Amino acid sequence: MDSVSVDSPITQDPKKPSNAVEKTAELAKKYWTSPHDLMVHLTRRGKFESPETERNPVKHVLLFFHALGVGGGELVTCSLAKLWKSMDIDVTILTDVPIDENAPHQTLPQGVKHRVVPDYNTLAGDSYHQRAEALQRIIDETEADAMVFAHWFAESLPFDLVLCKENGLRTFVFVQSLFSLFFLDDVNPSLVEMPETYRLADGIISLSEADRAVWSAFNKHSYATSNPLSLPIPEQPARLEGHTIIWPARLHPDKYPERVIPIMQELVKLVPDAKLIMVGPVNDAYREQFVRMADIAGVCKYIDLLGEASPVDMQRFYNEADAFLLTSRREGWSLALAEALASGLPCVMYALPYLTLTQKNPAVIAVDQGDSRGAAKALANVLTDKHRALEMGRAGRARLREIATYDHRAFWDSVFNNPEGPSQNCRDDCRESYRSAIREAFVAHQQHCEAQRTANRSKDREIAKLAAEVARLGHNCGELQNALDRTTNSLSFKIGRAITGVPRKLRDALSRR
């Protein structure tokens, strides 16, 4: 599909937008919760192709991500800003959340600016004009000529895209997660419609051929790339002399850390001195919950929660480990897997066949999602067969060196400055990419349905508990009423009432005075 025009902004002077803020704010009021209706409205205004004439080189890029914490998305955001800065492009990172100097966060690359805009999470259609005005000021002050949205599912994205196009900016959406994320959202149904508005962008960038295949149905300018390595490939690989497994990620439900518990239950039967270290940020509430689950399962002593680590410590943990474990249901790229491969670790994971890093990679053993016994057997194999582990480690490092030769500068230069974008001819395995995407869509739908069933079963159990409690209280109330009736009808109660009748009348008379 072609890009969609908003009152033909191509014909406008990019530096003199015609009431862009007012126009975009009005669209937000009408279509905030309905991206589909927004696209119907814009399509009626007509379509256009980006002109094939030579374009001026991009000189200043705005890069939007929600925050600059310590996650993988934030790390990629800063890595991209550093890369573009090395290409003589000025970069301003935009976030919804101010940098908290007292909390861990990504360090801004030298020379990269940072600005905060009103948080889309606090806005609605009637208040979007606050964000539009802030974005307009930044566009005017920086004289930016391109915007990259590395936060690809913000509710404000359709209207941010419209505003940027009204100002003549080249716009790109960088989808850093698997497309099936949009099948799994229960909080905001409008997010399911979000990909349709990707047609507004000049290009869609993703991290796998499967994702590229999907997004090409929404925008013909869709490209697959890779992420820069977050840590350098060390000169010496891990020695692989012990029985330690590393699980490096945020301890958060979306990374499924609790899935290591049944794996460790099975693994210690095969390798009694196996140890799992989990490295990554974790809040106190989740730590307590995780430790309780591990303790109930009897594996607490085999698991160490090490918390967040610096890059130097992170490299040391990889070098001291003997295997890597990944338990996610989905990943966009998996920086942690890349870091493990760089250190020469044999990698065991629940299958994510669309990931670029797993394809044609003998260092990776993938088992079916949720097969904890299979994962434990695979780990036991590489922990005890050191010859195989070393062979896997060497193959993984070689595969990563091959991936590391990817020319990121050439890719992004073509994205920014070539009207047709990077040249990416469909490879022989393109058909498999489509099949992989279709399989993932069905898997995501099945997981969504299962989650709904689990939630419904949980609700049914809660309702049954409440009904039982109501019945118990009703029974108790009945017994109390019977006891009260027996008491008030008893001879002793009636005699007592008669004896206290005169004092009660005197009390009532005095109280009225």
Side-chain angles (χ1 to χ4, degrees), residues 31-109:
Y31 303 112
W32 183 260
T33 60
S34 181
H36 171 75
D37 291 342
L38 171 67
M39 293 306 298
V40 170
H41 169 77
L42 296 178
T43 301
R44 287 172 182 160
R45 299 289 185 98
K47 304 176 181 180
F48 67 83
E49 288 273 7
S50 297
E52 302 299 329
T53 56
E54 184 177 350
R55 301 193 288 185
N56 293 327
V58 166
K59 293 296 184 184
H60 196 125
V61 175
L62 303 179
L63 173 59
F64 171 66
F65 197 75
H66 179 61
L68 285 179
V70 294
E74 293 93 325
L75 179 59
V76 170
T77 297
C78 288
S79 296
L80 286 176
K82 183 178 180 180
L83 172 69
W84 299 338
K85 193 66 182 174
S86 73
M87 296 165 59
D88 294 325
I89 297 174
D90 287 329
V91 183
T92 300
I93 294 177
L94 311 182
T95 64
D96 294 317
V97 180
I99 295 176
D100 183 354
E101 296 299 336
N102 298 317
H105 58 83
Q106 300 294 339
T107 302
L108 282 174

Coordinates of all heavy atoms in Angstrom, one line a residue, residues 31-109:
Y31 N -10.5 10.8 16.5 CA -10.1 9.5 16.2 C -9.1 8.8 17.2 O -8.5 7.9 16.9 CB -9.5 9.4 14.8 CG -10.4 10.0 13.7 CD1 -10.1 11.2 13.0 CD2 -11.5 9.3 13.3 CE1 -10.9 11.7 12.0 CE2 -12.4 9.8 12.3 CZ -12.0 11.0 11.7 OH -12.8 11.5 10.7
W32 N -9.0 9.4 18.4 CA -8.0 8.9 19.3 C -8.1 7.4 19.6 O -7.1 6.7 19.6 CB -8.1 9.7 20.6 CG -7.1 9.3 21.7 CD1 -7.2 8.5 22.7 CD2 -5.7 9.8 21.7 NE1 -6.0 8.4 23.4 CE2 -5.1 9.2 22.8 CE3 -5.0 10.7 20.9 CZ2 -3.8 9.5 23.2 CZ3 -3.7 10.9 21.3 CH2 -3.1 10.3 22.4
T33 N -9.3 6.9 19.7 CA -9.4 5.4 20.0 C -9.8 4.6 18.8 O -10.2 3.5 18.9 CB -10.5 5.2 21.1 OG1 -11.7 5.8 20.6 CG2 -10.1 5.9 22.4
S34 N -9.7 5.2 17.6 CA -10.1 4.5 16.4 C -9.1 4.8 15.2 O -9.4 5.5 14.3 CB -11.5 4.8 16.0 OG -11.9 4.1 14.8
P35 N -7.9 4.2 15.3 CA -7.0 4.4 14.2 C -7.5 4.0 12.8 O -7.2 4.6 11.8 CB -5.8 3.5 14.6 CG -5.9 3.4 16.0 CD -7.3 3.4 16.4
H36 N -8.4 3.0 12.8 CA -9.0 2.6 11.5 C -9.8 3.7 10.9 O -9.7 4.0 9.7 CB -9.9 1.3 11.7 CG -10.7 1.0 10.5 ND1 -10.1 0.4 9.4 CD2 -12.0 1.2 10.2 CE1 -11.0 0.2 8.5 NE2 -12.2 0.7 8.9
D37 N -10.7 4.3 11.7 CA -11.5 5.4 11.2 C -10.6 6.6 10.8 O -10.9 7.3 9.8 CB -12.5 5.9 12.2 CG -13.6 4.8 12.5 OD1 -13.7 3.9 11.7 OD2 -14.2 4.9 13.6
L38 N -9.5 6.8 11.5 CA -8.6 7.9 11.1 C -8.0 7.6 9.7 O -8.0 8.5 8.8 CB -7.4 7.9 12.0 CG -6.2 8.9 11.6 CD1 -6.7 10.3 11.6 CD2 -5.0 8.7 12.5
M39 N -7.7 6.3 9.4 CA -7.1 6.0 8.1 C -8.2 6.1 7.0 O -7.9 6.5 5.9 CB -6.5 4.6 8.1 CG -5.3 4.5 9.0 SD -4.0 5.7 8.6 CE -3.6 5.2 6.9
V40 N -9.4 5.7 7.3 CA -10.5 5.9 6.3 C -10.6 7.4 6.0 O -10.7 7.7 4.8 CB -11.8 5.4 6.9 CG1 -13.0 5.8 6.0 CG2 -11.8 3.8 7.1
H41 N -10.6 8.2 7.0 CA -10.7 9.7 6.8 C -9.5 10.2 5.9 O -9.7 10.9 4.9 CB -10.7 10.4 8.1 CG -10.5 11.9 8.0 ND1 -11.5 12.7 7.7 CD2 -9.4 12.7 8.2 CE1 -11.1 14.0 7.6 NE2 -9.8 14.0 8.0
L42 N -8.3 9.8 6.2 CA -7.2 10.3 5.5 C -7.1 9.7 4.1 O -6.7 10.4 3.2 CB -5.9 9.9 6.2 CG -5.7 10.5 7.6 CD1 -4.4 10.0 8.3 CD2 -5.7 12.1 7.5
T43 N -7.5 8.5 3.9 CA -7.5 7.9 2.6 C -8.5 8.6 1.6 O -8.2 8.8 0.5 CB -7.9 6.4 2.7 OG1 -7.0 5.7 3.5 CG2 -7.9 5.7 1.3
R44 N -9.6 9.1 2.2 CA -10.5 9.9 1.4 C -9.9 11.2 0.8 O -10.3 11.7 -0.2 CB -11.7 10.2 2.2 CG -12.7 9.0 2.4 CD -13.8 9.4 3.3 NE -14.6 8.2 3.6 CZ -15.4 8.1 4.7 NH1 -15.5 9.1 5.5 NH2 -16.2 7.1 4.8
R45 N -8.8 11.6 1.6 CA -8.1 12.8 1.1 C -7.2 12.6 -0.1 O -6.6 13.5 -0.6 CB -7.3 13.4 2.3 CG -8.1 13.8 3.5 CD -9.0 15.1 3.2 NE -9.7 15.5 4.4 CZ -9.3 16.5 5.1 NH1 -8.2 17.2 4.9 NH2 -10.0 16.9 6.2
G46 N -6.9 11.3 -0.3 CA -6.1 11.0 -1.5 C -4.7 10.4 -1.0 O -4.3 10.6 0.1
K47 N -4.1 9.7 -1.9 CA -2.8 9.1 -1.7 C -1.7 9.7 -2.5 O -2.0 10.4 -3.5 CB -2.9 7.6 -2.0 CG -4.0 6.8 -1.3 CD -4.0 5.4 -1.7 CE -5.2 4.7 -1.0 NZ -5.2 3.2 -1.4
F48 N -0.5 9.5 -2.1 CA 0.6 10.0 -2.9 C 1.8 9.0 -2.7 O 1.9 8.3 -1.7 CB 1.1 11.4 -2.5 CG 1.7 11.5 -1.1 CD1 3.0 11.2 -0.9 CD2 0.9 11.8 0.0 CE1 3.6 11.2 0.3 CE2 1.5 11.9 1.2 CZ 2.8 11.6 1.4
E49 N 2.7 9.0 -3.7 CA 3.9 8.3 -3.7 C 5.0 9.4 -3.3 O 4.9 10.5 -3.8 CB 4.3 7.7 -5.0 CG 3.5 6.5 -5.4 CD 4.1 5.2 -4.8 OE1 5.1 5.3 -4.1 OE2 3.6 4.2 -5.1
S50 N 6.0 9.0 -2.5 CA 7.1 9.9 -2.2 C 7.8 10.2 -3.5 O 8.0 9.3 -4.4 CB 8.1 9.3 -1.2 OG 7.5 9.1 0.0
P51 N 8.1 11.5 -3.8 CA 8.7 11.8 -5.1 C 10.0 11.1 -5.3 O 10.8 10.9 -4.4 CB 8.9 13.4 -4.9 CG 8.9 13.6 -3.5 CD 8.0 12.6 -2.9
E52 N 10.3 10.7 -6.5 CA 11.5 10.0 -6.9 C 12.7 10.9 -7.1 O 13.7 10.4 -7.5 CB 11.2 9.1 -8.1 CG 10.0 8.2 -8.0 CD 10.2 7.2 -6.9 OE1 11.4 6.8 -6.6 OE2 9.3 6.7 -6.3
T53 N 12.5 12.2 -7.0 CA 13.6 13.1 -7.2 C 14.6 13.0 -6.1 O 14.3 12.5 -5.0 CB 13.1 14.6 -7.3 OG1 12.3 14.8 -6.1 CG2 12.1 14.7 -8.5
E54 N 15.8 13.5 -6.4 CA 16.9 13.5 -5.4 C 16.5 14.3 -4.2 O 15.9 15.4 -4.3 CB 18.1 14.0 -6.0 CG 19.3 13.9 -5.1 CD 20.6 14.4 -5.7 OE1 20.6 14.6 -7.0 OE2 21.6 14.5 -5.0
R55 N 16.7 13.7 -3.0 CA 16.4 14.4 -1.8 C 17.6 14.9 -1.1 O 18.7 14.4 -1.2 CB 15.6 13.5 -0.8 CG 14.4 12.9 -1.4 CD 13.5 12.2 -0.4 NE 14.1 11.0 0.1 CZ 13.4 10.1 0.9 NH1 12.3 10.4 1.4 NH2 14.0 9.0 1.3
N56 N 17.4 16.0 -0.3 CA 18.5 16.5 0.5 C 18.9 15.5 1.6 O 18.0 14.9 2.2 CB 18.2 17.9 1.1 CG 18.0 19.0 0.1 OD1 18.7 19.0 -1.0 ND2 17.1 19.9 0.3
P57 N 20.1 15.4 1.9 CA 20.5 14.4 3.0 C 19.9 14.8 4.3 O 19.8 16.0 4.6 CB 22.1 14.5 3.0 CG 22.4 15.1 1.7 CD 21.3 16.0 1.3
V58 N 19.5 13.8 5.1 CA 19.0 14.1 6.4 C 20.1 14.6 7.3 O 21.3 14.1 7.3 CB 18.5 12.8 7.0 CG1 18.3 12.9 8.5 CG2 17.2 12.4 6.3
K59 N 19.8 15.7 8.0 CA 20.8 16.4 8.8 C 20.5 16.3 10.3 O 21.4 16.4 11.2 CB 21.0 17.8 8.5 CG 21.5 18.1 7.1 CD 23.0 17.6 7.0 CE 23.6 17.9 5.6 NZ 25.0 17.3 5.5
H60 N 19.2 16.1 10.7 CA 18.9 16.1 12.1 C 17.7 15.1 12.2 O 16.6 15.3 11.6 CB 18.5 17.5 12.6 CG 18.4 17.5 14.1 ND1 19.2 18.5 14.8 CD2 17.8 16.8 15.1 CE1 19.0 18.3 16.1 NE2 18.2 17.3 16.3
V61 N 17.9 14.1 13.1 CA 16.9 13.0 13.3 C 16.3 13.2 14.7 O 17.1 13.3 15.7 CB 17.5 11.6 13.1 CG1 16.4 10.6 13.5 CG2 17.9 11.4 11.7
L62 N 15.0 13.1 14.8 CA 14.4 13.0 16.2 C 14.1 11.5 16.4 O 13.6 10.8 15.5 CB 13.1 13.8 16.2 CG 13.2 15.3 15.9 CD1 11.8 15.9 16.0 CD2 14.1 16.0 16.9
L63 N 14.4 11.0 17.6 CA 14.3 9.6 17.8 C 13.4 9.4 19.1 O 13.9 9.9 20.2 CB 15.7 9.0 18.1 CG 15.7 7.5 18.5 CD1 15.0 6.6 17.6 CD2 17.2 7.1 18.7
F64 N 12.3 8.9 19.0 CA 11.3 8.8 20.1 C 11.3 7.4 20.7 O 11.2 6.4 20.0 CB 9.9 9.1 19.7 CG 8.9 8.9 20.8 CD1 8.9 9.6 22.0 CD2 8.0 7.9 20.6 CE1 8.0 9.3 23.0 CE2 7.0 7.6 21.6 CZ 7.1 8.3 22.8
F65 N 11.5 7.3 22.0 CA 11.3 6.1 22.8 C 10.7 6.6 24.2 O 11.0 7.7 24.6 CB 12.6 5.3 23.0 CG 12.4 3.9 23.5 CD1 11.9 3.0 22.6 CD2 12.6 3.5 24.8 CE1 11.7 1.7 22.9 CE2 12.3 2.2 25.2 CZ 11.9 1.3 24.3
H66 N 9.9 5.7 24.8 CA 9.2 6.1 25.9 C 10.1 6.6 27.1 O 9.7 7.6 27.7 CB 8.3 5.0 26.4 CG 7.5 5.3 27.7 ND1 6.5 6.3 27.7 CD2 7.5 4.8 28.9 CE1 6.0 6.4 28.9 NE2 6.5 5.4 29.6
A67 N 11.2 5.9 27.4 CA 12.0 6.3 28.5 C 13.4 5.9 28.2 O 13.7 5.2 27.2 CB 11.5 5.6 29.8
L68 N 14.3 6.2 29.1 CA 15.7 5.8 29.0 C 16.2 5.0 30.2 O 17.1 5.4 30.9 CB 16.6 7.0 28.8 CG 16.6 7.7 27.4 CD1 17.5 8.9 27.3 CD2 17.0 6.7 26.3
G69 N 15.4 4.0 30.5 CA 15.8 3.1 31.6 C 16.9 2.1 31.2 O 17.8 2.5 30.4
V70 N 16.8 0.9 31.7 CA 17.9 0.0 31.5 C 17.5 -1.2 30.6 O 18.3 -2.2 30.5 CB 18.5 -0.5 32.8 CG1 19.1 0.6 33.6 CG2 17.4 -1.2 33.7
G71 N 16.4 -1.2 30.0 CA 16.0 -2.3 29.1 C 16.7 -2.3 27.8 O 17.4 -1.4 27.4
G72 N 16.4 -3.4 27.0 CA 17.0 -3.6 25.7 C 16.6 -2.5 24.7 O 17.4 -2.1 23.9
G73 N 15.3 -2.1 24.8 CA 14.8 -1.1 23.9 C 15.6 0.3 24.1 O 15.9 0.9 23.1
E74 N 15.8 0.6 25.3 CA 16.5 1.8 25.7 C 18.0 1.7 25.2 O 18.6 2.7 24.7 CB 16.5 2.1 27.2 CG 15.1 2.4 27.7 CD 14.4 1.2 28.2 OE1 14.6 0.1 27.6 OE2 13.6 1.3 29.2
L75 N 18.6 0.5 25.4 CA 20.0 0.3 24.9 C 20.1 0.5 23.4 O 21.0 1.1 22.9 CB 20.4 -1.1 25.4 CG 21.9 -1.5 25.0 CD1 22.9 -0.5 25.5 CD2 22.2 -2.9 25.4
V76 N 19.1 -0.1 22.7 CA 19.1 0.1 21.2 C 18.9 1.5 20.8 O 19.6 2.0 19.9 CB 18.0 -0.8 20.6 CG1 17.9 -0.5 19.1 CG2 18.4 -2.3 20.8
T77 N 18.1 2.2 21.5 CA 17.8 3.6 21.2 C 19.1 4.4 21.3 O 19.4 5.2 20.4 CB 16.8 4.2 22.2 OG1 15.5 3.5 22.0 CG2 16.6 5.7 22.0
C78 N 19.9 4.3 22.4 CA 21.1 5.0 22.5 C 22.2 4.5 21.5 O 23.0 5.3 21.0 CB 21.6 4.9 24.0 SG 20.6 5.8 25.2
S79 N 22.2 3.2 21.2 CA 23.1 2.7 20.2 C 22.9 3.3 18.9 O 23.8 3.7 18.1 CB 23.0 1.2 20.2 OG 23.4 0.6 21.4
L80 N 21.6 3.4 18.5 CA 21.2 4.0 17.2 C 21.6 5.5 17.2 O 22.2 6.0 16.2 CB 19.7 3.9 16.9 CG 19.2 2.5 16.6 CD1 17.7 2.5 16.4 CD2 19.9 2.0 15.2
A81 N 21.4 6.2 18.3 CA 21.7 7.6 18.3 C 23.3 7.8 18.1 O 23.7 8.7 17.4 CB 21.3 8.2 19.6
K82 N 24.0 6.9 18.8 CA 25.5 7.0 18.7 C 25.9 6.7 17.2 O 26.8 7.3 16.7 CB 26.1 6.0 19.6 CG 27.6 6.0 19.6 CD 28.2 5.0 20.7 CE 29.7 5.0 20.7 NZ 30.2 4.0 21.7
L83 N 25.3 5.7 16.6 CA 25.6 5.3 15.2 C 25.3 6.5 14.3 O 26.2 6.9 13.5 CB 24.8 4.1 14.8 CG 24.8 3.7 13.3 CD1 26.2 3.2 13.0 CD2 23.8 2.7 13.0
W84 N 24.1 7.1 14.4 CA 23.8 8.2 13.5 C 24.7 9.4 13.8 O 25.0 10.1 12.8 CB 22.3 8.6 13.7 CG 21.4 7.5 13.4 CD1 21.6 6.4 12.6 CD2 20.0 7.3 13.9 NE1 20.5 5.6 12.6 CE2 19.5 6.1 13.3 CE3 19.2 8.1 14.7 CZ2 18.3 5.7 13.6 CZ3 17.9 7.6 15.0 CH2 17.5 6.4 14.4
K85 N 25.1 9.6 15.0 CA 26.0 10.7 15.3 C 27.3 10.5 14.6 O 27.9 11.5 14.1 CB 26.2 10.9 16.8 CG 26.8 12.1 17.3 CD 26.0 13.4 17.0 CE 26.7 14.6 17.4 NZ 25.9 15.8 17.0
S86 N 27.7 9.3 14.5 CA 29.0 9.0 13.8 C 28.9 9.2 12.3 O 29.9 9.2 11.6 CB 29.4 7.5 14.1 OG 28.6 6.6 13.4
M87 N 27.6 9.3 11.8 CA 27.4 9.5 10.4 C 27.2 11.0 10.1 O 26.7 11.4 9.1 CB 26.1 8.7 10.0 CG 26.3 7.2 10.1 SD 24.7 6.3 10.0 CE 24.1 6.8 8.4
D88 N 27.6 11.9 11.1 CA 27.4 13.3 11.0 C 26.0 13.8 10.9 O 25.6 14.7 10.2 CB 28.2 13.8 9.7 CG 29.7 13.7 9.9 OD1 30.2 13.8 11.0 OD2 30.4 13.4 8.9
I89 N 25.1 13.0 11.6 CA 23.7 13.4 11.7 C 23.5 13.9 13.1 O 23.8 13.1 14.1 CB 22.8 12.2 11.3 CG1 23.0 11.8 9.9 CG2 21.3 12.6 11.6 CD1 22.2 10.5 9.5
D90 N 22.9 15.0 13.3 CA 22.5 15.5 14.6 C 21.3 14.6 15.1 O 20.4 14.3 14.3 CB 22.1 16.9 14.6 CG 23.4 17.8 14.5 OD1 24.4 17.4 15.0 OD2 23.2 18.9 13.9
V91 N 21.3 14.3 16.4 CA 20.2 13.5 16.9 C 19.7 14.1 18.2 O 20.4 14.5 19.1 CB 20.7 12.0 17.2 CG1 19.6 11.2 17.7 CG2 21.4 11.4 16.0
T92 N 18.4 14.1 18.3 CA 17.7 14.5 19.6 C 16.8 13.3 20.0 O 15.9 13.0 19.2 CB 16.9 15.8 19.4 OG1 17.7 16.8 19.1 CG2 16.2 16.1 20.8
I93 N 17.0 12.8 21.1 CA 16.2 11.7 21.7 C 15.0 12.3 22.4 O 15.2 13.2 23.3 CB 16.9 10.7 22.6 CG1 18.0 10.0 21.8 CG2 16.0 9.8 23.3 CD1 18.9 9.1 22.7
L94 N 13.8 11.9 22.1 CA 12.6 12.4 22.8 C 12.1 11.2 23.6 O 12.0 10.1 23.2 CB 11.5 12.8 21.7 CG 11.9 13.7 20.6 CD1 10.7 14.0 19.7 CD2 12.5 15.0 21.1
T95 N 11.7 11.6 24.9 CA 11.1 10.6 25.7 C 9.9 11.2 26.4 O 9.7 12.4 26.5 CB 12.0 10.1 26.8 OG1 12.4 11.2 27.7 CG2 13.3 9.5 26.2
D96 N 9.0 10.3 26.9 CA 7.8 10.8 27.7 C 8.2 11.0 29.1 O 7.6 11.8 29.9 CB 6.7 9.8 27.7 CG 6.1 9.6 26.3 OD1 5.9 10.6 25.6 OD2 5.9 8.4 25.9
V97 N 9.3 10.3 29.6 CA 9.6 10.3 31.0 C 11.0 11.0 31.2 O 11.9 10.7 30.5 CB 9.7 8.8 31.5 CG1 10.1 8.8 33.0 CG2 8.4 8.1 31.2
P98 N 11.1 12.0 32.1 CA 12.4 12.6 32.4 C 13.4 11.6 32.9 O 13.0 10.6 33.5 CB 12.0 13.6 33.4 CG 10.5 13.8 33.3 CD 10.0 12.5 32.9
I99 N 14.6 11.8 32.7 CA 15.7 11.0 33.2 C 15.8 11.1 34.7 O 16.0 12.3 35.2 CB 17.0 11.3 32.5 CG1 17.0 10.9 31.0 CG2 18.2 10.5 33.2 CD1 18.2 11.3 30.3
D100 N 15.7 10.1 35.4 CA 15.8 10.1 36.9 C 17.3 9.8 37.2 O 17.8 8.7 37.1 CB 14.9 9.0 37.5 CG 15.0 9.1 39.0 OD1 15.8 9.8 39.6 OD2 14.2 8.3 39.7
E101 N 18.0 10.9 37.6 CA 19.4 10.7 37.9 C 19.7 9.8 39.1 O 20.8 9.3 39.2 CB 20.0 12.1 38.2 CG 20.0 13.1 37.0 CD 20.7 12.6 35.8 OE1 21.6 11.7 36.0 OE2 20.4 13.0 34.7
N102 N 18.7 9.5 39.9 CA 18.9 8.6 41.0 C 18.5 7.2 40.7 O 18.7 6.3 41.6 CB 18.0 9.1 42.2 CG 18.4 10.5 42.7 OD1 19.6 10.8 42.8 ND2 17.4 11.3 43.0
A103 N 18.1 6.9 39.5 CA 17.7 5.6 39.1 C 18.6 5.1 37.9 O 19.2 6.0 37.2 CB 16.3 5.5 38.7
P104 N 18.9 3.8 37.8 CA 19.7 3.4 36.6 C 19.1 3.8 35.3 O 17.9 3.7 35.1 CB 19.7 1.8 36.8 CG 19.3 1.6 38.2 CD 18.4 2.7 38.6
H105 N 19.9 4.2 34.4 CA 19.4 4.6 33.1 C 20.5 4.5 32.0 O 21.7 4.4 32.4 CB 18.8 6.0 33.1 CG 19.8 7.1 33.6 ND1 20.7 7.6 32.7 CD2 20.0 7.6 34.8 CE1 21.4 8.5 33.4 NE2 21.0 8.5 34.6
Q106 N 20.2 4.5 30.8 CA 21.2 4.6 29.7 C 21.8 5.9 29.6 O 21.2 7.0 29.8 CB 20.5 4.3 28.4 CG 19.8 2.9 28.3 CD 20.7 1.7 28.4 OE1 21.9 1.9 28.1 NE2 20.2 0.6 28.8
T107 N 23.1 5.9 29.4 CA 23.9 7.1 29.3 C 23.7 7.7 27.8 O 23.9 7.0 26.9 CB 25.4 6.9 29.6 OG1 25.5 6.3 30.9 CG2 26.2 8.2 29.5
L108 N 23.4 9.0 27.8 CA 23.3 9.6 26.4 C 24.6 9.6 25.7 O 25.6 10.0 26.3 CB 22.8 11.0 26.6 CG 21.3 11.3 26.8 CD1 21.1 12.7 27.1 CD2 20.5 10.8 25.7
P109 N 24.7 9.2 24.5 CA 25.9 9.3 23.7 C 26.4 10.7 23.6 O 25.6 11.7 23.6 CB 25.6 8.7 22.3 CG 24.3 7.9 22.6 CD 23.6 8.6 23.7

